[in-house]
Amino acid sequence: TVGPVTMDRARHEMVVDDQAVQLTATEFRLAWTLISSPGNVFSRDQLVSHVMGADAWITERTIDVHVRALRRKLDVHASWIETVRQVGYRWRDRAPS
């Protein structure tokens, strides 16, 4: 649990403000990677490896599409995912201001 989000890996569930959020498998792996290390920045390349697998043949910008979809589903809590320009993304370790 970080902020308003609770994730249960065994149940493959994300709950935001006591409401279940339906995620694709890729969105779940992306959210899990980010939320499991709040405050740490992941490059797009690292996220591709964690989320899609090291041998995935996709562009790093594909991660941007998945982040956008995840933010859309987080709705008012989208700002918990922070873009670190020219580096990648991180899950904030404290509430955004």
Side-chain angles (χ1 to χ4, degrees):
T1 300
V2 178
V5 178
T6 299
M7 293 193 72
D8 184 333
R9 194 171 192 181
R11 298 176 100 178
H12 209 266
E13 266 184 353
M14 174 188 263
V15 176
V16 179
D17 289 337
D18 298 321
Q19 297 291 321
V21 176
Q22 298 298 316
L23 301 177
T24 66
T26 301
E27 291 165 351
F28 185 87
R29 288 190 303 269
L30 174 62
W32 181 264
T33 299
L34 292 169
I35 206 168
S36 64
S37 297
N40 292 340
V41 179
F42 291 89
S43 70
R44 287 174 179 85
D45 189 49
Q46 287 174 311
L47 289 171
V48 167
S49 292
H50 284 244
V51 173
M52 308 289 204
D55 58 344
W57 189 252
I58 62 169
T59 67
E60 293 177 352
R61 293 296 178 188
T62 301
I63 288 297
D64 297 343
V65 173
H66 291 291
V67 167
R68 193 172 321 123
L70 183 56
R71 281 178 170 153
R72 199 172 318 120
K73 290 180 180 184
L74 287 169
D75 195 28
V76 297
H77 300 296
S79 60
W80 277 89
I81 300 173
E82 182 179 16
T83 301
V84 180
R85 290 192 179 265
Q86 304 208 355
V87 180
Y89 298 98
R90 76 172 140 222
W91 190 271
R92 294 177 185 266
D93 54 0
R94 56 189 156 291
S97 35

